[in-house]
Amino acid sequence: MDLLQGLNEPQRAAVTHSDGPLLIFAGAGSGKTRTLTHRIAYLIQNGVSPHRILAVTFTNKAAREMRERLENLVGGVAKRMWLGTFHALCAQMLRIHGERIGLNPRFVIFDSDDQLRLMKEIVKDLNLDTQRFPPARMLGKVSDAKNELKTPEILASTATRPHERIYATIYQNYQRRLREQSALDFDDLLVEAVRLLKESPESLEHWSERFQHVLIDEFQDVNEAQFQWAQMLASKHKNICVVGDDDQSIYAWRGADIKIILDFEKNFPDAMVVRLEQNYRSTQNILDAAHGVISHNFGRASKQLWSEEKGGEPLVLHGALNAQEEALWVVRRIETLRREERFSLDDFAILCRVNAQSRPFEEAFLRNRVPLRLVGTQRFYDRREIRDVLAYLKFIYNPDDAISANRLINVPPRGIGTATVQKLENLAIEQGRSLGALLLDPETQKALSPAVARKIEPLQRLLLQIFAEANAVKTVADLLEKVLERTQLLDFLAGEKDGETIDRVANVEELVRAAEYFDLRMAEDVLETGETTDVWDESDPLRLGLFLGETALEGGTDKDAESDEAVTLMTLHAAKGLEFKVVFLVGLEEGLLPHARAIWGENAGDEQLEEERRLMYVGLTRGEKRILMSYAAQRTMHGRTESTQPSQFLNEIPGYLLQREGLAAQIGPRIVQNRSTSWGGYGGSGYGGNYASNRANLNDLPRPQTSSAPSFAGAKTEKSGDKPPTFRIGDKVKHGSYGDGLVVAASLSGGAGEWVEVAFLGEGIGKKKLIVAYANLEKAA
DNA sequence: ATGCACGTACTTTTT
DNA sequence: GTACGTGCAT
């Protein structure tokens, strides 16, 4: 099979590059996955054993898709590759070698719900005010630290402000509690995998020797931990191939660091760089609009998409009165487009910034009887009833898991409330054992008051019975059925009267099916490898653990993803990587896109604004044939109706590409005169919008009382720990080719470090944005 | 211990 | 508007 057939020049170069680091800038719609899969197939065709290839993605979906496409190219041998998400692959490595760094191989993975429960306990135990230290935000702090591979000790030693010390203490306690129950959270999977490679030379030797080729997808989204992990795995053979697009980096809030892709050539000086700029998806008009927007970002790797598909329809911009009218307009437009241009409902996508925008669309589509499919709203495995059942399985797998023990202790309700639980926990601390160990020990009852003992007695019997039966069970599905039977959880759910009963029962049944499917896959693996083991036999803890790992790491099946023809509604984040013939970008307003937090939130700054712009770019580049955009002049949020301004990004689309409708047609060529008046707060004019060094950790200060009027009290103070800016607003500067100028905006926060905007004095030069590190710029006297 | 009612605060995106 | 947390009554 000729793997090079149908590939363009740069794609071929990427596929055939033999040894050494390779960086592929793959613009939207440039055939990225095709290039990556063909490269892997090409490696295999040229004698590299699939067993020695590691391919990493961010999402399970991407991993599945890649595997599928690879199997089409090279057949079943693709199964022998290590291909999966960062988290899944790290978990796998830790199951195999984790003991070398002191991890219990039966560790459970805490997902976000477990994490939050644990964090709530920590904050409470430390007697901290949950208003000033909201558990969810504390989790974010911990996650940030982990993404940068900072231990609690490091955080403590670098803490200067009282708040920071508290964060470090919280992190420390959180981490201790995790380890006490042999639990790892999502971030731990990466952190510990890195630690394994650093602290166990044999492990590093083993894995880095094994992986002749390491390939990473969506490289613009990696964080420090992920990067180090990949780098170490590739340290032996130096064959690290990364694919990404800095313009589509939209996960900075999750620790993704765009600098890692931008600095790749610095880290690997001998890297070959390939740019995929030919776009096979969109019309040139769409690409021009997208380029108009994204080119307002800087510190980006320079590139521009082009298409052989010249021209195309203009982009439509509609101004609606409010969100209801906006939704109605979308429905009508879809109906006419379908009639006139014979599109299928599956060809349409509505992309929004936040899930909260979906309601008016659901209503409008329902009323007009147009099927609408919502994607990615709630993860299947996150549903309460599913988590209740899973708590039992997790507890069976690892009785030290106190969060699961706590969860199942009174589900279904058996009269054990906080008071009783408190007594048990005290006893656990007294005896230095876990809550689970107490629950499973018949002796425990003797140590309790008769009243408490009577309460937990039935629970204890139930658990012991389930544990005894679990030993005899052969599959995860059987175990699950046993748990359901003994706990009568289904009866409990069926008896609840909150309107969701039917869904809940159906969901649990769906979980049983997921388990059956898992067992089936396991059985197939056994056929291939010749190994057999019982589900949760001590000799192989991997089976049940593997299933639980999947429930934590995979969202679960999108229930109606592949149902009948329907229009798709999802967030811009969820849309990355997808394409649709017709894309509606809705809610294009200041405050929504760009999101309020990026313009007038506590940490607002250019970094955030640029990420919002990339979101807009991602949205635009999803469209193949048509882009239709809309905004509402009034929008109700938090129960309050406010008038809004159209998004500033609309100004960045060349006017000749736009066809205006509704309010947008009445207003005239320029849409936004003044960026941010209608929200109150500061008037936008004085700051020129670009001054971002007010990031002086405003998040560490008490929150301002009003959410709409941010306090700029700290705006002029520099964050103490940061390196000082070279240039400040008002500085006179001299540039190598542009001559003298005045700094009008400055920030330390661009993708490529410090940048300034300079108004040059010379005729016809005007204002330029410059990256300090690259520009030939110096201070003038 | 449980359930209800009220008040409050909150809202981005998710592996 | 909703979801959650708190406080009260059963």
Side-chain angles (χ1 to χ4, degrees):
Chain A
M1 175 178 206
D2 184 6
L3 291 167
L4 303 182
Q5 198 168 11
L7 297 184
N8 65 33
E9 221 19 73
Q11 286 175 337
R12 268 178 209 221
V15 168
T16 57
H17 170 76
S18 59
D19 282 337
L22 171 62
L23 166 61
I24 305 171
F25 279 114
S30 64
K32 178 193 72 168
T33 309
R34 186 176 158 82
T35 305
L36 202 49
T37 50
H38 278 245
R39 172 163 173 79
I40 293 169
Y42 186 83
L43 291 173
I44 293 173
Q45 202 177 62
N46 284 279
V48 179
S49 161
H51 177 74
R52 302 191 62 185
I53 299 175
L54 176 71
V56 196
T57 63
F58 270 86
T59 65
N60 295 295
K61 199 170 146 222
R64 266 194 302 274
E65 192 181 312
M66 201 186 289
R67 172 150 274 147
E68 219 168 88
R69 288 174 70 164
L70 263 170
E71 278 180 21
N72 287 336
L73 291 175
V74 298
V77 291
K79 282 209 176 70
R80 293 177 47 228
M81 272 182 59
W82 264 42
L83 190 166
T85 65
F86 278 101
H87 297 271
L89 294 166
C90 286
Q92 219 165 320
M93 285 176 66
L94 291 172
R95 295 273 183 220
I96 297 170
H97 282 167
E99 258 176 314
R100 294 182 178 180
I101 52 167
L103 293 181
N104 178 349
R106 280 180 96 108
F107 65 80
V108 286
I109 298 168
F110 272 13
D111 58 32
S112 14
D113 187 71
D114 301 320
Q115 288 175 46
L116 192 61
R117 280 164 178 257
L118 178 58
M119 186 54 89
K120 280 179 181 163
E121 285 181 26
I122 305 279
V123 173
K124 212 157 79 202
D125 288 352
L126 289 171
N127 283 320
L128 293 166
D129 177 9
T130 51
Q131 302 288 296
R132 284 176 66 200
F133 300 95
R137 203 175 303 169
M138 295 305 101
L139 276 178
K141 291 279 172 200
V142 169
S143 180
D144 289 348
K146 290 183 178 180
N147 287 158
E148 293 173 31
L149 293 170
K150 287 185 179 151
T151 60
E153 293 73 38
I154 295 177
L155 208 63
S157 67
T158 55
T160 50
R161 306 145 142 272
H163 270 77
E164 290 168 357
R165 288 215 186 84
I166 294 172
Y167 296 154
T169 308
I170 290 175
Y171 180 14
Q172 198 159 25
N173 280 274
Y174 172 78
Q175 211 56 18
R176 184 172 44 77
R177 289 283 297 278
L178 278 177
R179 288 306 174 272
E180 274 171 10
Q181 39 192 319
S182 294
L184 302 188
D185 68 14
F186 285 129
D187 299 317
D188 280 338
L189 293 171
L190 290 154
V191 173
E192 293 297 281
V194 169
R195 190 164 72 88
L196 172 69
L197 296 175
K198 282 184 176 165
E199 291 180 9
S200 163
E202 306 86 52
S203 265
L204 178 61
E205 170 66 24
H206 175 264
W207 298 110
S208 64
E209 171 57 35
R210 169 171 171 175
F211 294 125
Q212 262 181 316
H213 286 269
V214 175
L215 302 100
I216 303 167
D217 194 17
E218 306 279 15
F219 194 67
Q220 76 281 355
D221 287 334
V222 298
N223 60 38
E224 185 59 27
Q226 289 160 332
F227 177 55
Q228 286 199 24
W229 179 76
Q231 198 179 17
M232 281 189 280
L233 290 176
S235 60
K236 191 115 190 177
H237 301 290
K238 309 267 191 283
N239 295 323
I240 182 168
C241 164
V242 305
V243 190
D245 180 2
D246 49 316
D247 289 335
Q248 293 184 67
S249 162
I250 54 176
Y251 286 105
W253 51 274
R254 237 171 68 193
D257 187 350
I258 196 170
K259 280 199 222 70
I260 295 177
I261 190 169
L262 294 175
D263 287 347
F264 188 83
E265 291 174 77
K266 252 186 253 163
N267 283 314
F268 300 94
D270 55 335
M272 168 163 163
V273 182
V274 174
R275 285 187 162 73
L276 306 181
E277 294 175 295
Q278 181 174 1
N279 173 292
Y280 297 93
R281 178 186 294 156
S282 310
T283 66
Q284 190 63 43
N285 276 354
I286 292 175
L287 294 180
D288 288 347
H291 183 256
V293 171
I294 199 67
S295 59
H296 283 75
N297 276 3
F298 33 99
R300 51 188 287 269
S302 94
K303 53 195 157 350
Q304 184 168 358
L305 293 174
W306 59 275
S307 169
E308 285 181 349
E309 189 81 14
K310 296 295 168 218
E313 299 286 332
L315 288 76
V316 174
L317 175 64
H318 177 81
L321 288 173
N322 53 43
Q324 286 69 35
E325 302 270 320
E326 180 185 40
L328 204 59
W329 175 76
V330 171
V331 182
R332 299 248 164 83
R333 266 308 209 147
I334 286 176
E335 282 172 340
T336 53
L337 278 167
R338 219 149 72 91
R339 215 171 330 109
E340 288 167 8
E341 303 184 35
R342 324 201 103 256
F343 287 113
S344 138
L345 285 179
D346 289 330
D347 294 332
F348 296 96
I350 303 167
L351 308 184
C352 53
R353 176 67 239 259
V354 299
N355 282 125
Q357 280 171 264
S358 67
R359 189 162 300 271
F361 289 96
E362 289 174 62
E363 284 164 8
F365 276 72
L366 192 68
R367 241 182 291 120
N368 289 276
R369 294 173 216 291
V370 180
L372 183 68
R373 168 167 56 221
L374 284 94
V375 173
T377 35
Q378 208 198 359
R379 279 169 33 127
F380 178 70
Y381 291 126
D382 281 345
R383 286 161 215 271
R384 192 207 73 199
E385 63 277 14
I386 298 298
R387 305 203 44 75
D388 286 340
V389 183
L390 288 175
Y392 280 90
L393 294 188
K394 284 165 96 170
F395 184 68
I396 291 168
Y397 184 67
N398 172 3
D400 289 335
D401 177 348
I403 296 293
S404 293
N406 249 308
R407 181 170 193 125
L408 65 79
I409 212 162
N410 201 30
V411 177
R414 36 177 85 92
I416 305 177
T418 45
T420 310
V421 173
Q422 195 54 55
K423 291 202 178 85
L424 280 168
E425 281 182 335
N426 291 342
L427 186 64
I429 293 165
E430 208 176 286
Q431 300 191 357
R433 307 160 73 194
S434 67
L435 181 60
L438 287 190
L439 287 176
L440 293 170
D441 181 358
E443 296 291 310
T444 299
Q445 292 196 35
K446 293 180 190 157
L448 294 164
S449 66
V452 178
R454 213 176 319 119
K455 283 239 169 95
I456 69 152
E457 205 252 312
L459 171 66
Q460 187 159 67
R461 235 177 333 152
L462 175 81
L463 290 176
L464 288 171
Q465 186 182 26
I466 292 177
F467 266 69
E469 287 172 338
N471 276 315
V473 138
K474 290 271 180 275
T475 63
V476 176
D478 286 348
L479 180 60
L480 191 51
E481 301 266 25
K482 273 275 179 278
V483 167
L484 292 175
E485 188 189 323
R486 293 301 176 200
T487 58
Q488 299 184 303
L489 253 169
L490 277 177
D491 293 333
F492 162 64
L493 288 173
E496 277 187 316
K497 34 185 190 283
D498 63 352
E500 287 181 72
T501 292
I502 300 168
D503 284 341
R504 294 230 157 98
V505 173
N507 286 337
V508 172
E509 281 161 356
E510 182 73 29
L511 179 67
V512 177
R513 253 168 280 151
E516 283 167 352
Y517 178 58
F518 172 84
D519 292 328
L520 192 71
R521 277 163 27 226
M522 286 299 113
E524 282 172 0
D525 282 0
V526 169
L527 282 182
E528 279 172 25
T529 59
E531 293 169 20
T532 54
T533 34
D534 289 344
V535 215
W536 85 286
D537 187 335
E538 199 55 65
S539 64
D540 179 11
L542 295 186
R543 286 292 146 83
L544 182 54
L546 222 49
F547 177 71
L548 293 172
E550 282 190 14
T551 63
L553 296 173
E554 299 205 19
T557 43
D558 274 326
K559 254 213 299 202
D560 40 8
E562 58 222 66
S563 56
D564 293 331
E565 230 186 79
V567 175
T568 305
L569 173 65
M570 64 183 135
T571 64
L572 288 160
H573 283 88
K576 196 172 78 164
L578 305 178
E579 58 185 21
F580 297 90
K581 293 216 165 61
V582 184
V583 166
F584 287 84
L585 298 176
V586 300
L588 297 182
E589 295 136 36
E590 291 290 289
L592 214 40
L593 187 73
H595 193 275
R597 293 170 89 105
I599 332 175
W600 40 71
E602 299 164 52
N603 299 320
D606 302 276
E607 238 171 49
Q608 294 212 7
L609 189 66
E610 294 208 355
E611 181 141 320
E612 297 292 314
R613 189 176 280 116
R614 290 192 289 267
L615 271 172
M616 176 85 183
Y617 176 78
V618 165
L620 287 166
T621 52
R622 298 310 96 196
E624 297 172 22
K625 303 273 175 238
R626 305 283 310 249
I627 295 281
L628 298 97
M629 302 176 286
S630 62
Y631 62 85
Q634 282 193 335
R635 189 172 290 275
T636 306
M637 283 179 108
H638 328 317
R640 207 171 260 294
T641 303
E642 309 263 19
S643 59
T644 63
Q645 296 286 318
S647 168
Q648 56 185 285
F649 299 148
L650 291 169
N651 284 336
E652 301 171 355
I653 297 175
Y656 66 89
L657 294 172
L658 286 182
Q659 178 188 314
R660 293 157 192 284
E661 297 184 0
L663 293 179
Q666 298 163 24
I667 286 177
R670 287 270 115 177
I671 299 149
V672 184
Q673 275 79 42
N674 187 349
R675 265 195 205 171
S676 50
T677 41
S678 64
W679 262 274
Y682 77 106
S685 44
Y687 266 109
N690 272 331
Y691 182 61
S693 29
N694 56 27
R695 289 160 65 252
N697 269 16
L698 286 176
N699 55 327
D700 290 340
L701 299 171
R703 300 197 68 197
Q705 287 308 300
T706 54
S707 58
S708 58
S711 155
F712 272 75
K716 293 274 151 89
T717 54
E718 295 295 337
K719 182 172 151 190
S720 49
D722 265 358
K723 46 185 178 202
T726 327
F727 299 99
R728 286 162 195 273
I729 294 175
D731 282 352
K732 286 181 184 135
V733 293
K734 195 179 185 71
H735 185 275
S737 38
Y738 297 127
D740 292 315
L742 204 62
V743 176
V744 295
S747 167
L748 292 171
S749 62
E754 186 182 5
W755 59 267
V756 290
E757 185 168 14
V758 179
F760 287 101
L761 304 176
E763 287 274 343
I765 303 175
K767 283 195 267 190
K768 302 267 183 211
K769 285 180 178 175
L770 303 163
I771 292 157
V772 173
Y774 306 140
N776 180 5
L777 198 67
E778 57 185 57
K779 275 194 189 172

